[in-house]
Amino acid sequence: MARFYHLGGSMLALLLSSPLLAAPQIGKFGIDTAGMDKSVKAGDDFVAYAGGTYLKELEIPADRSNFGMFTKLRDLSQERTRAILDATAAKPGSKGSESQKIGDFYASFLDEKTIEARGIRPLKPQLAAIAAIDSRAALATMLGRNNRLGAGSTIGIGFRQDLKNPDVFAVYLRQAGLGLPDRDYYLDPKFEAIRGKYKAYIATMFRLAGTADPEAKAQQVFDLETQMAKVFWSRVEQRQVEKTYNPAATADMAAQFPGLDWPRFLAAAGVADQPRLIVSTPSAVAGVANLVATAPLSAWQAWLTFNTLRGAAPYLPKTFAEADFAFNGTVLSGTPEQQARWKRGVDATQGALGEAVGKLYVAKYFPPEAKAKADDLVKNVIAAMDARLANLAWMDPATKVQARYKLAAFKAKIGYPDVWRDYSALQVDRGDLYGNVQRANAFQYERQLAKLGQPIDRSEWSMTPMTVNAYANPTWNEIVFPAAILQPPFFDPAADPAVNYGGIGLVIGHEISHHFDDQGRKYDKQGKLADWWTAEDISRFKALTNKVVAQYAGYEPLPGAHVNGELTLGENMADLAGLNVSLDAYHKSLNGKPAPVLDGLTGDQRFFLGFAQAWRQKYRDAALQQQLVTDPHTPGHFRPYVSRNVDAWYDSFGVKPGDKLYLAPADRIKVW
């Protein structure tokens, strides 16, 4: 299970004017001193102190639900990718080549004239097949088939390493199929208004497709999804990795999860020959299987029809795309305007042909010297983590030895894959956008399906080089940093080291520590789900993580809406560890020499400010509310408050008792 690290914050001038290897453009040494608000004490509100003036002037663009550094860095990546796609679409190359597929896919998205002329004709075969469902067996076949097409199924099928045997791939079954962001949106009274708008949106999609009785069908869809939500696991429950590992013999599925015609479902999904499946959310799968047997076929047909329309909406005529955005963009996220078509086209093309596009992106925007210097920084942060593990007071000595063995076995992937993905089996037609999307979904599914029974290829990546993000994959004991995040202000080979360590250094430490957080610690150095801690270690660790849960649960990003300390525990622990480890690595990089004072700022001050300024971010209320319910990350503009747990922060900014963020030394959380 890969752990993804979602970033946020902003530094506008740098991103608009700075090429990859140029000197930082925000402040002489990478710190935006003009954006600080020194009228605020760092100890009262470190976020405001570090970036309050900048945040007051920052406006969220009309096509964004939030805006900040991550968003702007993503914009830069998107604009660079657009230039590549525009050139490739103008000269796509010979038929069957990667350049032809990239150029024609992007061109098919931009060809609004053809899309409008075709209307919903591309969907007719699928809609007719849904209308023809006349039995529970036929329903099971459709639900299984939809997994292959990415067309919506209430039992999702995925492929990943067997958590207890990570040298082989396994088939995983999980709950799926809700149209709203989370089960709470169906069950919590505070979302009642959104539920009404959701039903109206469903009816609109039916109406646009010319379906009779759109309101009645919308009610059927909503009622069915509400029943599904009642049996679904919460996001906190799904975080407990050992609870999601439930092997079942394929032959026993009908007895264990009655109601669904499992042979037909699995055959249609292409996995009927697998002797063993792993059920991630067993009670939810059981509840859904029962609904397959008991809910009216007409309700399931309405649900499948709506899911087909909803999934296809971005690739259909403007009326569908706008109706889909009006709910999913504006109602759920508060975004007033849809993104320009070229931006959506860039995202769609990257989704279908990510590594083919990435190959061109890396050649143009990620020089070898950037990769080499980032690799050095990764090694330094890993060494700092090793030193922390060696000196842990709360961990049993034998466990510490194993933890350091695990760290020593780490693999760090930097920039881009060593082996690029092969897209030769994917067909792309310049005049068939929806067909291209369907074929891309099927291609990806079949590529994963083909891994069953084959050796694990650990050279693979789960993100493209254009992705402004990073992740930890505990089953492969690896950390991964795509090219697009290895640029200012997270990383610049020419920048002040304090800023680099406060930026990308913290990201690296964050990802490393995921392998030792409340879930990552459950994997050994081979990536196997296993107990390798003593009971005493676990007890002491739990006492520390309880403090993390409590501290973050005290934050209130919206009136009456607090951070979910349990849902965000892993990410908050990773921020805490990342900050400490990257600071250690920065200090070690000085080789015993004092850090220079630049613009009146000490090295440690620049480190903490570089961290905090990278997280300057604003949200629309609806987007922030959705994040608090669904996202395991604390909202970006609250993440710099983790600094209050680090002694050096107090020394750097003169934080004293009585300051709002002050914690007594005994109350500062120190895990790693």
Side-chain angles (χ1 to χ4, degrees):
M1 175 169 49
R3 306 292 299 278
F4 294 101
Y5 179 48
H6 301 288
L7 305 176
S10 77
M11 293 187 177
L12 176 59
L14 184 150
L15 293 176
L16 293 182
S17 62
S18 174
L20 179 60
L21 296 178
Q25 299 298 306
I26 286 191
K28 188 175 180 181
F29 302 98
I31 298 300
D32 178 14
T33 54
M36 298 171 64
D37 184 354
K38 295 181 181 178
S39 69
V40 178
K41 292 175 65 176
D44 282 342
D45 189 340
F46 187 51
V47 171
Y49 171 80
T53 299
Y54 179 85
L55 287 168
K56 289 174 185 175
E57 299 172 356
L58 182 67
E59 294 185 1
I60 303 176
D63 66 348
R64 295 292 187 184
S65 65
N66 63 89
F67 203 51
M69 208 295 294
F70 168 73
T71 322
K72 290 176 182 176
L73 198 51
R74 183 181 183 275
D75 286 350
L76 178 62
S77 176
Q78 197 175 47
E79 288 161 6
R80 288 172 166 176
T81 305
R82 180 194 189 183
I84 292 170
L85 298 184
D86 281 342
T88 310
K91 296 182 179 179
S94 60
K95 186 172 178 59
S97 66
E98 285 189 347
S99 61
Q100 175 263 315
K101 294 173 183 181
I102 293 168
D104 285 356
F105 194 103
Y106 184 58
S108 73
F109 196 98
L110 298 184
D111 187 1
E112 294 182 82
K113 183 177 179 181
T114 296
I115 293 167
E116 293 293 331
R118 298 187 75 186
I120 66 167
R121 288 201 305 275
L123 274 63
K124 292 293 187 181
Q126 174 75 352
L127 296 177
I130 293 169
I133 293 174
D134 58 0
S135 66
R136 305 289 169 175
L139 173 59
T141 297
M142 179 64 70
L143 291 171
R145 173 179 173 271
N146 276 7
N147 273 286
R148 301 183 92 135
L149 299 177
S153 179
T154 191
I155 297 177
I157 292 179
F159 306 92
R160 55 189 266 208
Q161 287 73 29
D162 186 317
L163 295 184
K164 293 196 175 182
N165 185 11
D167 289 329
V168 300
F169 271 94
V171 179
Y172 284 78
L173 305 180
R174 66 190 184 281
Q175 64 189 39
L178 297 183
L180 288 171
D182 185 78
R183 69 172 198 169
D184 286 1
Y185 277 74
Y186 296 86
L187 308 176
D188 193 319
K190 71 172 173 279
F191 295 116
E192 183 175 358
I194 288 179
R195 290 194 284 272
K197 293 177 181 178
Y198 180 52
K199 284 188 280 188
Y201 157 63
I202 300 171
T204 296
M205 298 300 282
F206 279 129
R207 193 175 297 110
L208 289 173
T211 305
D213 299 323
E215 282 77 17
K217 285 187 168 55
Q219 189 65 51
Q220 280 187 302
V221 172
F222 180 79
D223 290 345
L224 184 57
E225 290 187 0
T226 301
Q227 293 304 308
M228 291 160 57
K230 291 177 180 178
V231 301
F232 272 27
W233 287 25
S234 72
R235 291 178 185 265
V236 171
E237 290 174 308
Q238 292 178 69
R239 283 195 73 248
Q240 307 306 311
V241 62
E242 71 281 2
K243 294 181 180 179
T244 66
Y245 187 81
N246 303 283
T250 304
D252 295 339
M253 290 298 290
Q256 289 187 241
F257 306 100
L260 176 65
D261 188 329
W262 286 100
R264 288 180 180 270
F265 175 83
L266 297 173
V271 295
D273 60 340
Q274 295 300 303
R276 178 175 174 270
L277 308 168
I278 300 175
V279 185
S280 295
T281 52
S283 62
V285 169
V288 168
N290 180 63
L291 282 173
V292 170
T294 58
L297 279 180
S298 62
W300 282 111
Q301 287 172 306
W303 183 84
L304 287 163
T305 299
F306 168 64
N307 272 269
T308 299
L309 295 169
R310 182 184 63 167
Y315 320 110
L316 294 178
K318 189 176 181 179
T319 52
F320 283 90
E322 289 184 342
D324 184 64
F325 174 78
F327 179 75
N328 290 296
T330 303
V331 173
L332 291 181
S333 298
T335 311
E337 295 180 8
Q338 192 168 29
Q339 286 197 338
R341 189 161 191 90
W342 73 262
K343 293 182 179 181
R344 290 178 276 146
V346 166
D347 290 348
T349 308
Q350 289 181 163
L353 291 142
E355 288 194 13
V357 177
K359 194 184 304 183
L360 303 177
Y361 182 95
V362 165
K364 191 168 185 178
Y365 296 115
F366 193 64
E369 55 266 35
K371 182 171 183 175
K373 291 190 176 184
D375 187 54
D376 288 341
L377 205 150
V378 170
K379 291 176 181 176
N380 292 343
V381 178
I382 289 177
M385 182 66 173
D386 182 64
R388 287 231 161 209
L389 289 173
N391 292 298
L392 281 181
W394 57 265
M395 183 177 277
D396 183 86
T399 310
K400 281 197 288 187
V401 170
Q402 292 303 313
R404 296 180 69 193
Y405 281 159
K406 179 176 179 177
L407 183 66
F410 264 26
K411 179 177 178 59
K413 294 177 178 176
I414 308 293
Y416 52 88
D418 294 326
V419 179
W420 295 100
R421 188 165 298 173
D422 179 6
Y423 291 93
S424 58
L426 175 60
Q427 296 183 4
V428 176
D429 182 339
R430 198 177 185 94
D432 183 16
L433 172 60
Y434 182 66
N436 290 337
V437 172
Q438 278 199 310
R439 287 187 289 273
N441 288 338
F443 165 80
Q444 176 61 14
Y445 186 91
E446 296 300 325
R447 194 182 73 83
Q448 297 291 337
L449 184 63
K451 295 178 181 179
L452 296 172
Q454 301 301 313
I456 299 292
D457 179 5
R458 295 177 183 266
S459 70
E460 285 196 334
W461 282 50
S462 296
M463 286 182 179
T464 69
M466 303 82 69
T467 304
V468 184
N469 215 323
Y471 68 93
N473 180 357
T475 57
W476 287 3
N477 206 26
E478 66 179 10
I479 48 177
V480 186
F481 306 96
I485 198 174
L486 298 171
Q487 55 188 330
F490 281 109
F491 174 70
D492 186 334
D496 167 27
V499 178
N500 274 340
Y501 277 97
I504 197 64
L506 184 136
V507 175
I508 294 165
H510 175 112
E511 297 305 336
I512 290 170
S513 74
H514 267 318
H515 291 275
F516 301 94
D517 68 16
D518 66 306
Q519 300 305 311
R521 70 157 188 85
K522 298 172 182 176
Y523 299 84
D524 65 17
K525 66 180 181 181
Q526 282 83 32
K528 179 181 178 181
L529 188 63
D531 289 326
W532 54 280
W533 287 27
T534 68
E536 292 75 19
D537 288 329
I538 295 172
S539 177
R540 289 188 288 263
F541 184 70
K542 180 67 174 174
L544 293 169
T545 60
N546 286 343
K547 293 181 179 180
V548 178
V549 170
Q551 184 176 108
Y552 280 84
Y555 296 139
E556 189 176 5
L558 287 172
H562 289 251
V563 171
N564 185 332
E566 291 184 338
L567 177 62
T568 59
L569 174 59
E571 300 299 332
N572 297 333
M573 289 178 63
D575 278 351
L576 178 59
L579 191 62
N580 280 292
V581 170
S582 58
L583 181 61
D584 287 353
Y586 168 58
H587 288 163
K588 186 175 177 58
S589 75
L590 297 172
N591 295 315
K593 298 177 182 179
V597 175
L598 305 175
D599 280 358
L601 298 170
T602 68
D604 280 11
Q605 286 175 325
R606 298 194 308 277
F607 171 87
F608 285 108
L609 287 170
F611 161 53
Q613 289 191 344
W615 291 95
R616 295 179 295 184
Q617 189 169 3
K618 280 187 174 179
Y619 297 83
R620 300 188 191 279
D621 285 354
L624 189 53
Q625 178 66 75
Q626 185 176 160
Q627 177 166 350
L628 291 171
V629 173
T630 65
D631 198 326
H633 300 81
T634 294
H637 59 313
F638 273 72
R639 290 173 74 164
Y641 294 132
V642 69
S643 303
R644 66 200 294 230
N645 294 291
V646 181
D647 295 341
W649 178 75
Y650 291 80
D651 298 334
S652 296
F653 298 100
V655 180
K656 304 293 184 185
D659 292 345
K660 294 178 181 178
L661 292 177
Y662 179 84
L663 292 172
D667 295 328
R668 297 169 197 170
I669 305 171
K670 302 181 189 303
V671 183
W672 300 111

